[in-house]
Amino acid sequence: MHKVKITDHLILLAGALFLIMPVVVAFTTSSHTAADIHSNGLSLSWGDNFTETYEKVLTREGGFTGQITGSRMLMNSLILGLGFAIGKIVLSMLAAYAIVYFRFRFATLAFWLIFTTLLLPLEVRIVPSYQVVSSFGMLNSYSGLIVPLLASATGTFYFRQFFKSVPDELLEASRIDGAGPVKFFIDVLLPLSRTMIAAMFIIMFVYGWNQYLWPMLVTTDESFFTLMRGIKQILQVWVGAQIPDYNEAFALAVLAMVPPVLVVVVFQRWFIKGLTESDK
């Protein structure tokens, strides 16, 4: 038995090391100069350019306009991630609440129509979505970055399944106490949905944070560039004998991992409960 446990832990440890090694390599490589990285490639040794590199990527104004900083791109990515996660959760909860608790005709049909939007990811509808955003004058804006991404049935599906598991006795008790639909939603369903909200928040925040294709299309103003765009832009710079700032790209990549990791660490317990808990 003990040998089996030791073997299991060794396998888990090996898997963890395998997954974390690219992060360690990116972190140590970012402490070297761009010339060193260009000449010697990736490195596990610690360089002497760490403080300068991270100070430059966070505070130095750059880009084509000379006005964008890493801190600004970090803030844009944070706004996109939070706006997407919160907006998706709010819309999904309201849609699921209407489908489950309002006994209107064709409710099931309405749900399946919403569910079929999973067959139309952003990559499929990106051209008409861009045309709509452009016609509404939402290019180079936070609303243009966030709103078109909210149309999806993922959250609605999960919240519908969760609401269907809530005992009907709670609804009947609320009606006896004189609670209307809004009060029942706020006072009863919201507290019960905390673990599910946390689980969906992690999934949606990470998805929104990692968006690259859509921000690349709808933002031409550097003040709205996200961190993912900033990393790509650094690596695209190659003019004559100029070497791309590999160290800054690695530094931005490391910084881009920090917020999602923090969100997962903070909400990990609720995330697991939200995905596994079925008896309410």
Side-chain angles (χ1 to χ4, degrees):
M1 178 65 72
H2 291 293
K3 289 183 178 180
V4 173
K5 288 185 177 180
I6 292 174
T7 303
D8 292 343
H9 282 83
L10 287 176
I11 294 174
L12 290 174
L13 183 60
L17 291 175
F18 178 77
L19 293 175
I20 204 173
M21 276 304 296
V23 180
V24 174
V25 172
F27 185 62
T28 54
T29 303
S30 67
S31 65
H32 293 266
T33 63
D36 289 339
I37 300 172
H38 185 71
S39 301
N40 304 318
L42 302 177
S43 176
L44 273 172
S45 62
W46 190 256
D48 55 1
N49 204 51
F50 175 79
T51 304
E52 181 182 351
T53 298
Y54 282 84
E55 184 179 356
K56 284 174 63 178
V57 298
L58 287 174
T59 62
R60 186 192 64 181
E61 294 181 344
F64 294 110
T65 61
Q67 298 178 350
I68 187 68
T69 65
S71 300
R72 177 70 180 182
M73 290 188 292
L74 193 67
M75 181 60 65
N76 290 338
S77 292
L78 192 62
I79 292 173
L80 174 58
L82 288 175
F84 174 75
I86 295 172
K88 177 81 84 171
I89 289 172
V90 171
L91 289 178
S92 299
M93 291 191 71
L94 292 176
Y97 180 57
I99 291 171
V100 173
Y101 290 100
F102 288 83
R103 309 296 182 182
F104 58 90
R105 294 180 64 185
F106 309 117
T108 303
L109 177 62
F111 168 73
W112 284 111
L113 288 175
I114 295 174
F115 191 74
T116 54
T117 60
L118 289 174
L119 303 176
L120 297 172
L122 179 64
E123 291 76 12
V124 175
R125 52 185 171 85
I126 197 164
V127 174
S129 297
Y130 178 84
Q131 185 176 2
V132 171
V133 170
S134 178
S135 63
F136 278 98
M138 296 167 62
L139 298 177
N140 292 313
S141 67
Y142 292 121
S143 57
L145 279 171
I146 297 170
V147 173
L149 299 176
L150 300 181
S152 173
T154 308
T156 304
F157 173 77
Y158 281 110
F159 280 112
R160 174 182 178 268
Q161 298 305 113
F162 179 83
F163 290 161
K164 288 176 71 70
S165 68
V166 175
D168 293 335
E169 288 79 2
L170 289 177
L171 177 61
E172 296 172 2
S174 299
R175 286 175 176 172
I176 294 174
D177 290 340
V182 176
K183 189 173 180 59
F184 172 71
F185 178 77
I186 295 175
D187 292 348
V188 178
L189 286 184
L190 272 182
L192 290 176
S193 305
R194 286 180 300 177
T195 54
M196 179 59 68
I197 290 173
M200 294 306 301
F201 179 81
I202 292 177
I203 296 172
M204 299 306 173
F205 177 82
V206 173
Y207 179 81
W209 178 271
N210 289 328
Q211 281 295 311
Y212 170 72
L213 181 60
W214 181 248
M216 184 181 68
L217 287 178
V218 300
T219 56
T220 55
D221 185 349
E222 286 188 334
S223 61
F224 291 98
F225 279 13
T226 61
L227 208 55
M228 303 305 159
R229 283 212 62 182
I231 297 172
K232 182 66 174 178
Q233 184 172 314
I234 287 175
L235 295 177
Q236 284 179 334
V237 176
W238 194 298
V239 182
Q242 181 179 353
I243 298 174
D245 295 319
Y246 296 115
N247 55 336
E248 295 183 18
F250 278 116
L252 285 177
V254 172
L255 291 174
M257 301 177 199
V258 175
V261 169
L262 289 178
V263 168
V264 172
V265 169
V266 172
F267 294 101
Q268 181 180 17
R269 182 171 59 87
W270 285 7
F271 174 73
I272 295 173
K273 288 182 64 178
L275 295 181
T276 59
E277 199 174 61
S278 59
D279 298 328
K280 303 293 183 284

